[in-house]
Amino acid sequence: MTENPAGAWVGDQVWDEAAEKEGVVTDVKNGVYELRPLNRTWGETWTVRDGTKLTVTVPREERLRRRREEA
């Protein structure tokens, strides 16, 4: 994996313009992003080949902070 500091990365919550839905980036391999729905940890996933179509809605650091506060 090679980090992309200018765009979405693993752990970021994103809006997928092409799919018209929100998800969480779970992996990036060879420039292909794998996403999962917000409310599911297993099962349905989808891939995005053009990371420029992803808009970060909640960065990973913010998601982790919120999770710690809820615990």
Side-chain angles (χ1 to χ4, degrees):
M1 287 191 276
T2 305
E3 188 165 353
N4 177 4
W9 197 244
V10 175
D12 289 338
Q13 184 173 318
V14 297
W15 173 256
D16 179 354
E17 182 180 316
E20 297 185 343
K21 59 184 174 180
E22 201 160 23
V24 176
V25 179
T26 59
D27 201 1
V28 182
K29 294 180 186 172
N30 301 319
V32 178
Y33 295 75
E34 183 172 299
L35 287 82
R36 68 162 172 80
L38 293 179
N39 57 352
R40 299 182 82 182
T41 55
W42 297 97
E44 175 189 346
T45 63
W46 72 98
T47 58
V48 175
R49 295 190 178 279
D50 183 0
T52 65
K53 301 294 184 186
L54 298 175
T55 302
V56 177
T57 56
V58 182
R60 177 182 183 272
E61 294 79 14
E62 177 67 15
R63 290 182 65 244
L64 293 173
R65 185 188 63 78
R66 290 178 185 177
R67 187 177 296 158
R68 281 191 303 269
E69 289 176 353
E70 292 173 359

